Amino acid sequence: MVLALVFSGLVLEARAGLPGEIEAGFRESRVFEGDGSVVIRGVDEGVFLNYVGEHWRWMMDHPEEIPERTDSKEWGRMGNAWVLAQACEVLPPAEYVEFLGRWLDWYEQGVIPYVVAESGFHGWWRKAHFLEANSDDWRVRRVVKRMIAATPVEEVERREYLEEVLDGDYADHWEFCGGNVSDPRVPPETMPGSLPVFVFKHKLKWALLYALLGYAGWRFLKSAREAWRVWGRTPRRSRMRWGRAQPGRVG
Protein backbone atom coordinates (compact mmCIF):
# COMPACT_ATOMS: atom_id res chain seq x y z
CA MET A 1 0.00 0.00 0.00
CA VAL A 2 2.79 2.39 0.95
CA LEU A 3 4.73 1.50 -2.19
CA ALA A 4 1.63 2.09 -4.29
CA LEU A 5 1.16 5.54 -2.75
CA VAL A 6 4.82 6.39 -3.31
CA PHE A 7 4.60 5.21 -6.91
CA SER A 8 1.41 7.22 -7.47
CA GLY A 9 3.11 10.28 -6.04
CA LEU A 10 6.03 9.85 -8.41
CA VAL A 11 3.70 9.50 -11.38
CA LEU A 12 1.78 12.61 -10.38
CA GLU A 13 5.04 14.50 -9.96
CA ALA A 14 6.26 13.31 -13.35
CA ARG A 15 3.03 14.46 -14.97
CA ALA A 16 2.91 17.75 -13.15
CA GLY A 17 4.87 19.49 -15.89
CA LEU A 18 6.53 22.85 -15.48
CA PRO A 19 5.65 25.21 -12.64
CA GLY A 20 3.35 28.02 -13.66
CA GLU A 21 5.96 30.78 -13.47
CA ILE A 22 8.47 28.77 -15.50
CA GLU A 23 5.83 27.99 -18.12
CA ALA A 24 5.02 31.72 -18.22
CA GLY A 25 8.70 32.41 -18.76
CA PHE A 26 8.74 30.13 -21.78
CA ARG A 27 5.54 31.61 -23.21
CA GLU A 28 6.42 35.26 -22.70
CA SER A 29 10.17 35.41 -23.23
CA ARG A 30 11.06 37.34 -26.32
CA VAL A 31 13.01 35.78 -29.17
CA PHE A 32 14.38 38.44 -31.49
CA GLU A 33 14.24 36.91 -34.92
CA GLY A 34 16.87 39.24 -36.33
CA ASP A 35 19.80 37.95 -34.30
CA GLY A 36 18.21 35.16 -32.25
CA SER A 37 18.82 36.86 -28.92
CA VAL A 38 16.47 36.12 -26.02
CA VAL A 39 15.02 38.33 -23.29
CA ILE A 40 13.45 36.46 -20.37
CA ARG A 41 9.97 37.76 -19.55
CA GLY A 42 7.04 36.61 -17.46
CA VAL A 43 9.25 35.44 -14.62
CA ASP A 44 12.25 36.65 -12.69
CA GLU A 45 15.30 35.87 -14.82
CA GLY A 46 17.28 34.44 -11.92
CA VAL A 47 14.43 32.13 -10.93
CA PHE A 48 14.04 30.95 -14.52
CA LEU A 49 17.74 30.29 -15.06
CA ASN A 50 18.13 28.48 -11.75
CA TYR A 51 15.19 26.23 -12.54
CA VAL A 52 16.52 25.41 -16.00
CA GLY A 53 19.97 24.77 -14.56
CA GLU A 54 18.55 22.20 -12.14
CA HIS A 55 15.92 20.55 -14.36
CA TRP A 56 17.23 20.77 -17.91
CA ARG A 57 17.66 16.99 -18.18
CA TRP A 58 13.98 16.47 -17.30
CA MET A 59 13.00 19.01 -19.94
CA MET A 60 15.15 17.27 -22.53
CA ASP A 61 13.38 14.02 -21.64
CA HIS A 62 9.96 15.72 -21.96
CA PRO A 63 10.05 18.13 -24.91
CA GLU A 64 6.26 17.96 -25.06
CA GLU A 65 6.14 19.82 -21.74
CA ILE A 66 7.73 22.91 -23.24
CA PRO A 67 4.79 25.22 -24.02
CA GLU A 68 4.03 26.35 -27.54
CA ARG A 69 4.57 29.85 -28.82
CA THR A 70 2.27 31.79 -31.07
CA ASP A 71 4.26 35.02 -31.50
CA SER A 72 6.98 33.74 -33.81
CA LYS A 73 6.26 32.48 -37.30
CA GLU A 74 9.93 31.92 -38.05
CA TRP A 75 10.73 29.84 -34.99
CA GLY A 76 7.30 28.27 -34.61
CA ARG A 77 6.68 25.97 -31.68
CA MET A 78 10.37 25.33 -31.18
CA GLY A 79 11.09 28.98 -30.45
CA ASN A 80 11.05 27.91 -26.82
CA ALA A 81 13.66 25.27 -27.53
CA TRP A 82 15.86 28.18 -28.47
CA VAL A 83 14.97 29.86 -25.16
CA LEU A 84 15.98 26.64 -23.40
CA ALA A 85 19.29 26.48 -25.29
CA GLN A 86 20.26 29.98 -24.26
CA ALA A 87 19.17 29.42 -20.68
CA CYS A 88 21.38 26.33 -20.53
CA GLU A 89 24.41 28.51 -21.16
CA VAL A 90 24.49 29.00 -17.37
CA LEU A 91 25.52 25.35 -16.98
CA PRO A 92 29.08 24.44 -15.98
CA PRO A 93 31.30 23.65 -19.00
CA ALA A 94 31.20 19.84 -18.85
CA GLU A 95 27.47 19.82 -18.19
CA TYR A 96 26.92 22.27 -21.05
CA VAL A 97 28.70 19.91 -23.46
CA GLU A 98 26.42 17.14 -22.18
CA PHE A 99 23.46 19.38 -22.97
CA LEU A 100 24.75 19.93 -26.52
CA GLY A 101 24.84 16.17 -26.98
CA ARG A 102 21.22 15.92 -25.85
CA TRP A 103 20.39 18.88 -28.10
CA LEU A 104 21.74 16.95 -31.09
CA ASP A 105 19.66 13.98 -29.96
CA TRP A 106 16.60 16.20 -30.33
CA TYR A 107 17.59 17.11 -33.86
CA GLU A 108 18.34 13.53 -34.87
CA GLN A 109 15.00 12.44 -33.41
CA GLY A 110 13.15 15.14 -35.34
CA VAL A 111 12.13 17.13 -32.25
CA ILE A 112 13.66 20.33 -33.64
CA PRO A 113 14.47 21.41 -37.21
CA TYR A 114 17.97 22.14 -38.42
CA VAL A 115 17.61 25.93 -38.20
CA VAL A 116 16.91 25.67 -34.47
CA ALA A 117 19.49 22.94 -33.87
CA GLU A 118 22.24 24.89 -35.60
CA SER A 119 21.44 28.16 -33.86
CA GLY A 120 21.21 26.61 -30.40
CA PHE A 121 24.44 24.66 -30.89
CA HIS A 122 26.56 27.80 -30.80
CA GLY A 123 26.76 29.84 -27.63
CA TRP A 124 25.36 33.34 -27.95
CA TRP A 125 25.55 34.54 -24.40
CA ARG A 126 27.65 33.13 -21.55
CA LYS A 127 29.04 30.42 -23.81
CA ALA A 128 30.03 32.71 -26.68
CA HIS A 129 33.12 31.24 -28.42
CA PHE A 130 33.11 28.37 -25.94
CA LEU A 131 33.42 25.61 -28.53
CA GLU A 132 36.07 27.48 -30.47
CA ALA A 133 38.21 28.15 -27.40
CA ASN A 134 37.98 24.54 -26.16
CA SER A 135 38.39 22.78 -29.48
CA ASP A 136 41.32 20.73 -28.15
CA ASP A 137 39.12 19.02 -25.54
CA TRP A 138 38.03 15.53 -26.60
CA ARG A 139 34.48 16.02 -25.29
CA VAL A 140 34.04 19.22 -27.26
CA ARG A 141 35.57 17.67 -30.37
CA ARG A 142 33.23 14.71 -30.13
CA VAL A 143 30.10 16.87 -30.03
CA VAL A 144 31.38 19.15 -32.82
CA LYS A 145 32.04 16.11 -35.01
CA ARG A 146 28.46 14.98 -34.34
CA MET A 147 27.20 18.36 -35.47
CA ILE A 148 29.29 18.15 -38.65
CA ALA A 149 27.83 14.72 -39.40
CA ALA A 150 24.29 16.04 -38.77
CA THR A 151 24.71 19.15 -40.92
CA PRO A 152 22.91 18.90 -44.29
CA VAL A 153 25.18 18.53 -47.32
CA GLU A 154 23.94 21.79 -48.81
CA GLU A 155 25.09 23.74 -45.73
CA VAL A 156 28.64 23.94 -47.05
CA GLU A 157 29.69 27.06 -45.17
CA ARG A 158 28.49 25.72 -41.82
CA ARG A 159 30.33 22.44 -42.32
CA GLU A 160 33.52 24.26 -43.30
CA TYR A 161 33.26 26.52 -40.26
CA LEU A 162 32.85 23.58 -37.87
CA GLU A 163 35.81 21.81 -39.46
CA GLU A 164 37.88 24.95 -38.98
CA VAL A 165 36.78 25.01 -35.34
CA LEU A 166 38.22 21.52 -34.94
CA ASP A 167 41.46 22.72 -36.53
CA GLY A 168 41.72 25.43 -33.87
CA ASP A 169 41.51 28.25 -36.41
CA TYR A 170 39.17 30.27 -34.16
CA ALA A 171 40.76 29.40 -30.83
CA ASP A 172 41.62 33.02 -30.00
CA HIS A 173 38.74 34.60 -31.93
CA TRP A 174 37.14 35.75 -28.68
CA GLU A 175 39.97 38.26 -28.22
CA PHE A 176 38.63 40.21 -31.19
CA CYS A 177 34.90 39.71 -30.61
CA GLY A 178 34.72 39.68 -26.81
CA GLY A 179 34.40 36.78 -24.42
CA ASN A 180 30.72 37.06 -23.52
CA VAL A 181 27.83 39.49 -23.52
CA SER A 182 28.14 40.32 -19.82
CA ASP A 183 31.80 41.31 -20.02
CA PRO A 184 33.69 41.07 -23.35
CA ARG A 185 37.00 41.04 -21.46
CA VAL A 186 36.17 37.71 -19.82
CA PRO A 187 37.62 34.78 -21.80
CA PRO A 188 35.48 31.72 -22.57
CA GLU A 189 35.08 29.13 -19.84
CA THR A 190 37.49 26.22 -19.76
CA MET A 191 36.60 22.55 -19.82
CA PRO A 192 37.83 20.87 -16.61
CA GLY A 193 41.06 18.99 -17.09
CA SER A 194 41.74 20.62 -20.42
CA LEU A 195 43.95 23.48 -21.55
CA PRO A 196 42.08 25.78 -23.96
CA VAL A 197 43.61 26.03 -27.42
CA PHE A 198 43.94 29.82 -27.26
CA VAL A 199 46.02 29.48 -24.07
CA PHE A 200 47.97 26.58 -25.50
CA LYS A 201 48.82 28.48 -28.67
CA HIS A 202 50.16 31.48 -26.77
CA LYS A 203 52.07 29.33 -24.28
CA LEU A 204 53.48 27.28 -27.15
CA LYS A 205 54.93 30.42 -28.72
CA TRP A 206 56.71 31.33 -25.49
CA ALA A 207 57.82 27.74 -24.95
CA LEU A 208 59.38 27.65 -28.42
CA LEU A 209 61.10 30.98 -27.80
CA TYR A 210 62.48 29.79 -24.46
CA ALA A 211 63.60 26.54 -26.05
CA LEU A 212 65.38 28.43 -28.82
CA LEU A 213 67.10 30.75 -26.34
CA GLY A 214 68.03 27.80 -24.17
CA TYR A 215 69.53 25.93 -27.12
CA ALA A 216 71.48 29.01 -28.20
CA GLY A 217 72.78 29.44 -24.64
CA TRP A 218 73.76 25.79 -24.46
CA ARG A 219 75.64 26.02 -27.75
CA PHE A 220 77.44 29.15 -26.57
CA LEU A 221 78.51 27.55 -23.30
CA LYS A 222 79.62 24.41 -25.09
CA SER A 223 81.73 26.45 -27.53
CA ALA A 224 83.18 28.53 -24.72
CA ARG A 225 84.04 25.41 -22.75
CA GLU A 226 85.74 23.85 -25.76
CA ALA A 227 87.70 27.06 -26.40
CA TRP A 228 88.79 27.09 -22.76
CA ARG A 229 89.98 23.49 -23.04
CA VAL A 230 92.03 24.32 -26.14
CA TRP A 231 93.44 27.37 -24.41
CA GLY A 232 94.31 25.29 -21.36
CA ARG A 233 96.19 22.68 -23.45
CA THR A 234 98.26 25.30 -25.31
CA PRO A 235 101.85 25.71 -23.92
CA ARG A 236 102.36 28.95 -22.02
CA ARG A 237 105.21 30.14 -24.28
CA SER A 238 103.02 29.56 -27.35
CA ARG A 239 100.29 31.70 -25.81
CA MET A 240 102.66 34.54 -25.01
CA ARG A 241 104.38 34.77 -28.39
CA TRP A 242 101.34 36.07 -30.22
CA GLY A 243 101.72 39.74 -30.93
CA ARG A 244 105.47 39.73 -30.17
CA ALA A 245 108.47 39.74 -32.53
CA GLN A 246 109.86 36.25 -33.10
CA PRO A 247 113.51 35.63 -32.00
CA GLY A 248 116.05 36.03 -34.83
CA ARG A 249 113.72 38.13 -36.94
CA VAL A 250 114.16 41.78 -37.80
CA GLY A 251 111.02 43.82 -38.04
Side-chain angles (χ1 to χ4, degrees):
M1 181 65 178
V2 174
L3 290 176
L5 290 174
V6 171
F7 178 77
S8 299
L10 293 175
V11 171
L12 288 174
E13 183 179 358
R15 293 179 179 177
L18 299 173
E21 58 181 354
I22 303 302
E23 185 172 336
F26 274 111
R27 290 189 184 279
E28 300 178 29
S29 292
R30 179 79 181 275
V31 179
F32 291 92
E33 297 178 359
D35 60 2
S37 60
V38 172
V39 175
I40 304 299
R41 293 181 177 174
V43 62
D44 179 79
E45 182 178 287
V47 172
F48 185 83
L49 295 177
N50 287 337
Y51 185 88
V52 171
E54 294 178 4
H55 301 90
W56 69 270
R57 291 186 181 88
W58 182 88
M59 286 186 258
M60 299 300 292
D61 289 337
H62 302 86
E64 71 283 354
E65 295 292 341
I66 297 178
E68 298 183 9
R69 298 182 66 87
T70 58
D71 62 343
S72 175
K73 294 181 180 180
E74 179 179 349
W75 294 99
R77 176 183 180 183
M78 283 295 102
N80 273 336
W82 178 223
V83 174
L84 174 63
Q86 284 208 25
C88 282
E89 292 188 32
V90 302
L91 296 174
E95 199 169 336
Y96 178 69
V97 174
E98 180 187 350
F99 161 75
L100 291 179
R102 299 289 300 274
W103 182 255
L104 290 178
D105 291 342
W106 267 16
Y107 172 58
E108 293 169 353
Q109 296 164 6
V111 176
I112 53 177
Y114 173 74
V115 63
V116 176
E118 194 275 333
S119 298
F121 187 75
H122 299 278
W124 289 67
W125 178 39
R126 297 190 183 183
K127 292 297 189 292
H129 312 295
F130 172 79
L131 297 177
E132 291 85 345
N134 288 278
S135 58
D136 68 328
D137 183 87
W138 66 270
R139 293 155 292 187
V140 172
R141 296 181 66 83
R142 181 175 61 183
V143 77
V144 172
K145 288 179 180 178
R146 280 191 62 191
M147 187 65 200
I148 293 175
T151 301
V153 178
E154 60 272 17
E155 297 288 342
V156 178
E157 292 185 1
R158 300 310 305 169
R159 293 176 65 90
E160 290 179 349
Y161 177 80
L162 290 171
E163 290 170 354
E164 290 170 352
V165 168
L166 287 179
D167 292 337
D169 293 350
Y170 300 99
D172 54 2
H173 193 58
W174 72 273
E175 296 178 346
F176 307 100
C177 300
N180 60 57
V181 175
S182 302
D183 188 347
R185 298 168 298 178
V186 177
E189 295 175 281
T190 305
M191 286 291 289
S194 176
L195 185 65
V197 174
F198 72 87
V199 173
F200 175 76
K201 289 176 68 177
H202 291 307
K203 286 194 173 183
L204 180 61
K205 293 176 183 177
W206 286 107
L208 291 175
L209 177 60
Y210 290 145
L212 181 61
L213 292 175
Y215 177 75
W218 174 76
R219 293 288 298 180
F220 173 78
L221 292 175
K222 184 178 181 182
S223 300
R225 184 180 180 184
E226 188 64 27
W228 181 258
R229 285 180 177 178
V230 173
W231 178 263
R233 289 197 298 266
T234 304
R236 183 176 179 80
R237 295 180 61 182
S238 297
R239 298 182 214 162
M240 295 179 62
R241 74 171 181 235
W242 295 108
R244 299 179 181 179
Q246 298 297 320
R249 292 187 181 183
V250 178

